[in-house]
Amino acid sequence: MSVLLEVKNIETYYDLIYAVRGVSLSVEEGGITTVLGNNGAGKSTILKTIMGLIDDQPDKGTIEFDGKRIDGKETEDIVRMGIAYVPEGREVFNELTVQENLLMGAHTRKDRSALKHDFEKIYSYFPILADRVNQWAGTLSGGEQQMLAIGRALMSRPRLLILDEPSLGLSPLLVKEIFEIIKIIRNQGVTILLVEQNARKALGISDFGLILENGRFVMAGPCCQLLEDQDVKEFYLGFKAQESAKGYQRWKRKKRWR
Amino acid sequence: MTDLLQTLLNGVAVGSGYALMGIAMVIIYKTSEVVNFAQGEMALVSVFFTYMILHTYGVPFFYAFPLAALFAVFVGCVLEFTILRRAKEQNVLGMIIVTIGLEMVLIGLVSWKFGAEQKVMPFPISTYDTLMIGNLFATTLEALTFAIVWVIMLGLFLFFRFSRLGLAMKATQQNKVAARLMGIRTNRVLMFTWGISSLVGCVAGILIAPKSMEPFMMWDPMLKGFSGAVVGGMTSIPGAVFGAYLVGIVENLFGQYAYMEFKSAVAFAIIVIVLCVKPSGIFARHYVKKV
Ligand SMILES: Nc1ncnc2c1ncn2[C@@H]1O[C@H](COP(=O)(O)OP(=O)(O)OP(=O)(O)O)[C@@H](O)[C@H]1O
Ligand SMILES: [Mg+2]
């Protein structure tokens, strides 16, 4: 398998705040790669850096998509190369209808005649959107907006789909549904880079996982391996570690993480 | 009774001129949240350009008006690209100062190039032609202005509703980051918004010029168009049109039945009253963010 997205040693600042401290990752074509990490670890910042949304960043390092450098490019151009990004917090167009939102997703597409088929595909993934085609997106519920945001991203027929916490604020049932759909999307040949808090679900569908702490990756590996890891189990999956005699081991591990 | 109706009609007639300026300001405000006080003077530049090609170079109307339209779009785009875009990190107050500064520069340029005295704008319709509607009358120019407002309003409605660029403009208005994530070149969209707005302003200017043409001609219509737009909520094109009618009607009623001298001040009294009673304007139809 080839590498679709290659991030090498990027560092990102928000003015003086050093948010991403030398991070590398590669996303294999056709797979799902997951980034886990605590609040404020810098996950969203990495994604925003990839999409060129933070002015003049990355400060150091390179980002390659499909063998071409994309760091320093305009967001619009990065999107046009075939990357779609669903930001944290949906960012739908509040005063456009559901249908128009999806149409905006296809803004860069030349094959206008094929759009109808794609609309139908999205509505089959998310039937609830089909009932709301002419409703303003701002009046949808949070979960419906999330579906719309994912649908909108798919309308560009991306090669790489980047999702920032798609399960945020959704009911457990809906979370399950969203993850099912992410799997379907992958099976249709779209490569996925996923950022999640829901570690168990995310690792469950992914091929490769990375764990971010304070702007650095502290662990990376195939998902089956991470799921078995003691530390991951304890801090991300909520298993209780066995108490050692002096409580020493626990302290040592904590230090490694925080 | 006829008297009153005639006054109302006159109000709508002058209001139509204000309406075009109001529409122009709304277009820019909606996309970039800039209150463009240079709107009138951008139109002024296009009007004097039109005057120049008609009067000095003798270009026939048939070519002159499309040329003027192109020029107006060009002026709008250039100003956005060279000045507003550079100043974009400013806050609202800063942007207001920038547009006021721009306004003064443009007015200075026109005065310097063409002089401050009244000119006579060549125009296909004489200002003395009148139409009778029942026993009310209006000048043909007023009727034309009224019709053009509605044509432009309808055109813009269709444009924003159905065209790809129009939809991209609406998306950019609502969420610039998300628009960029759709691959929309938001900078270009913004530039083009200024172009369209400048075009609408230019139409207003050309329709006002046959009555009075000198460097300060756009100041009054711009401020009143702005009042109308504020009354209409500043983000709605039909709102701006009806707001402008209201301003026109009230100032005419006031001039007719109260004090002629304070006729113009009425527009600002209207702004103040509306802002006190309904701060978002009468026609504002805005989705309120869920907290
Ligand atoms: N616009 C900003 N300006 C300044 N600092 C920021 C900005 N955005 C994020 N940060 C800081 O950068 C760090 C990383 O933030 P980021 O949003 O990437 O975290 P995250 O891993 O996505 O967290 P979460 O899981 O809560 O979404 C945080 O310390 C945050 O305070
Ligand atoms: Mg985040």
Side-chain angles (χ1 to χ4, degrees), chain A residues 40 43-45 88 164-165 195 197:
Chain A
K43 304 180 297 295
S44 303
T45 307
E88 200 175 13
D164 197 347
E165 300 200 32
V195 159
Q197 293 285 354

Side-chain angles (χ1 to χ4, degrees), chain A residues 118-134:
Chain A
D118 287 47
F119 273 117
E120 272 159 22
K121 196 170 78 182
I122 306 290
Y123 291 140
S124 75
Y125 290 161
F126 306 110
I128 194 134
L129 293 183
D131 301 335
R132 306 248 188 286
V133 272
N134 290 319

Side-chain angles (χ1 to χ4, degrees), chain A residues 76-77 80 91 95 107 138, chain B residues 164 174-175 183 185 286-287:
Chain A
E76 296 92 304
D77 296 316
R80 280 161 194 256
E91 310 277 345
E95 290 176 44
H107 183 79
Chain B
R164 206 166 94 98
Q174 291 175 26
N175 191 332
R185 300 195 192 281
H286 236 286
Y287 164 80

Side-chain angles (χ1 to χ4, degrees), chain B residues 46-122:
Chain B
S46 306
V47 168
F48 274 82
F49 171 82
T50 317
Y51 172 79
M52 192 175 76
I53 56 175
L54 283 170
H55 184 263
T56 315
Y57 298 106
V59 177
F61 291 121
F62 185 74
Y63 298 109
F65 287 147
L67 258 175
L70 276 180
F71 179 80
V73 172
F74 177 74
V75 166
C77 292
V78 166
L79 289 181
E80 197 281 336
F81 184 77
T82 52
I83 298 175
L84 273 299
R85 190 173 298 181
R86 315 296 146 195
K88 201 53 212 178
E89 297 297 317
Q90 289 285 344
N91 57 12
V92 177
L93 266 176
M95 292 312 282
I96 288 179
I97 301 295
V98 169
T99 62
I100 290 181
L102 184 60
E103 183 245 315
M104 293 185 174
V105 171
L106 292 177
I107 217 168
L109 272 179
V110 170
S111 310
W112 166 73
K113 178 87 172 64
F114 294 95
E117 72 280 9
Q118 278 282 351
K119 305 257 182 320
V120 180
M121 177 79 156

